[in-house]
Amino acid sequence: MNEFDLIEKYFNWNAQDLNSLGVGDDCALVSIKPDYQLATSVDTLIEGVHFPQNTSAADIAYKSLSVNLSDLAAMGATPKYFTLALTLPEFDELWLEEFSTSLKLLADQYKVDLLGGDTTKGKLSVTINVTGTVPKGQALLRSSAKVGDTIFISNTLGDAALAWNQLQQGVEPSQGLLEQFNTPKPQVALGQALLGVANACIDVSDGLKQDVSHILERSEVGVTINLADIPLSREVANYVQETNDWCLPLAGGDDYELCFSVPKENIDALKVIETELNIKLTKIGLATEQQGLKIEGLDKICQSYQHF
Ligand SMILES: [Mg+2]
């Protein structure tokens, strides 16, 4: 099978957005509504670096698209399109079938169209470029937190990191932890709901410690976080109690939750969002004039995920 047949067979899906022209021409064409901006982001996942060697094709596809959607969620953008660059060590029809089925399922769920891509031979890696739209001037930025804002985090932290930790030690993680590691749910609905409610937002991909610092630095504010306020699942709470390893939930990474700041006057609106989306939102601190991140009770330096 040549490259054109491969694309035709596995990646030529019908577009949901009829204002776009997808796979089959030299470029994809997209139209965009007036008064909207495009939000675009790219992420590469490499075998052995971002997912273990024995990860299923379905999980690789899911995570590759999901982590990109998470970046759109962080800006409050609505996912629209993506392109895919796939590098494969060999042509494997079963693998491709499983990969494209899983990718299409997630793409359909978030109504995001595959507009084109590229396939090459080499070490297994997946690059996805995702594009969404957001009303002009309303995107959630890292730089918009204000003194007095309350900082929140969605759901719990450390579940994926605990799964990874256990896998490396040859321990089979629980179903819940594995799902968080292999198929993290991008918080797209939350991001959209936060438009006009939150001031600043980021998705937690490299660990709360590092990612909340990006908000603090760009917004020129500070926060003091108490360890007791960090939302943990029962399993991660048990792990921390046994090991005192707070670095796992704070710097382990791969959470794909949203960390955001909300001004006092919007706290009631946030409570409505919490109920409507049936999501757990935890207050972890207040933005202060005194800059920098302080973590009360943390007695060691946690090494956050470093890409190099
Ligand atoms: Mg991000």
Side-chain angles (χ1 to χ4, degrees):
M1 187 180 283
N2 66 33
E3 184 187 356
F4 305 110
D5 295 337
L6 186 155
I7 291 168
E8 186 58 36
K9 181 163 183 194
Y10 296 106
F11 298 109
N12 195 2
W13 311 330
N14 288 334
Q16 307 203 25
D17 181 350
L18 299 176
N19 289 315
S20 66
L21 175 68
V23 176
D25 268 271
D26 291 288
C27 288
L29 295 174
V30 301
S31 300
I32 173 167
K33 282 192 280 183
D35 298 321
Y36 276 76
Q37 286 176 301
L38 290 178
T40 184
S41 176
V42 64
D43 256 310
T44 296
L45 276 78
I46 299 170
E47 183 178 52
V49 179
H50 302 96
F51 53 87
Q53 238 142 21
N54 55 0
T55 307
S56 73
D59 286 347
I60 293 169
Y62 191 107
K63 194 164 182 179
S64 303
L65 180 55
S66 179
V67 301
N68 275 281
L69 292 172
S70 179
D71 280 326
L72 289 183
M75 306 287 290
T78 300
K80 288 284 184 185
Y81 319 104
F82 70 105
T83 55
L84 164 73
L86 188 57
T87 303
L88 298 169
E90 58 185 349
F91 176 76
D92 178 341
E93 219 163 325
L94 274 179
W95 192 96
L96 275 162
E97 185 72 51
E98 190 186 323
F99 182 90
S100 80
T101 302
S102 166
L103 193 66
K104 186 169 190 312
L105 217 66
L106 186 64
D108 286 349
Q109 191 186 338
Y110 287 90
K111 298 187 174 56
V112 55
D113 284 330
L114 176 59
L115 285 189
D118 187 29
T119 51
T120 46
K121 190 171 174 174
K123 188 175 158 69
L124 179 59
S125 91
V126 186
T127 297
I128 285 181
N129 168 224
V130 78
T131 301
T133 59
V134 63
K136 214 171 202 164
Q138 287 185 36
L140 303 169
L141 309 179
R142 297 176 179 184
S143 54
S144 327
K146 301 271 184 302
V147 171
D149 282 5
T150 307
I151 316 275
F152 287 88
I153 187 92
S154 62
N155 296 313
T156 56
L157 298 176
D159 301 275
L162 183 56
W164 178 231
N165 192 311
Q166 292 175 342
L167 284 170
Q168 281 176 309
Q169 289 171 26
V171 177
E172 181 67 16
S174 71
Q175 193 62 26
L177 293 183
L178 256 189
E179 272 175 23
Q180 195 57 39
F181 179 68
N182 284 323
T183 54
K185 310 283 173 285
Q187 298 300 333
V188 171
L190 175 61
Q192 287 173 296
L194 290 176
L195 283 181
V197 173
N199 276 340
C201 186
I202 193 169
D203 70 318
V204 181
S205 52
D206 297 334
L208 176 69
K209 195 174 150 281
Q210 181 159 300
D211 288 324
V212 75
S213 295
H214 291 311
I215 289 187
L216 302 180
E217 279 159 27
R218 296 288 302 278
S219 300
E220 299 182 357
V221 295
V223 71
T224 299
I225 298 174
N226 278 300
L227 286 180
D229 293 332
I230 304 290
L232 303 177
S233 64
R234 192 181 38 81
E235 283 171 290
V236 174
N238 288 344
Y239 166 84
V240 169
Q241 201 174 18
E242 282 166 22
T243 60
N244 199 31
D245 177 17
W246 275 99
C247 292
L248 180 128
L250 289 173
D254 258 358
D255 298 297
Y256 304 105
E257 296 301 337
L258 295 186
C259 175
F260 53 94
S261 89
V262 178
K264 211 178 264 167
E265 63 269 25
N266 290 344
I267 297 288
D268 285 344
L270 188 71
K271 284 188 183 137
V272 175
I273 292 170
E274 188 172 22
T275 310
E276 278 179 355
L277 296 182
N278 191 21
I279 192 168
K280 179 171 138 168
L281 304 175
T282 305
K283 175 184 163 178
I284 56 167
L286 282 178
T288 57
E289 213 157 326
Q290 169 91 39
Q291 291 185 28
L293 170 66
K294 242 192 263 153
I295 301 177
E296 211 77 71
L298 187 67
D299 53 8
K300 58 183 156 195
I301 295 163
C302 301
Q303 186 63 47
S304 291
Y305 182 76
Q306 299 293 330
H307 296 265
F308 289 97

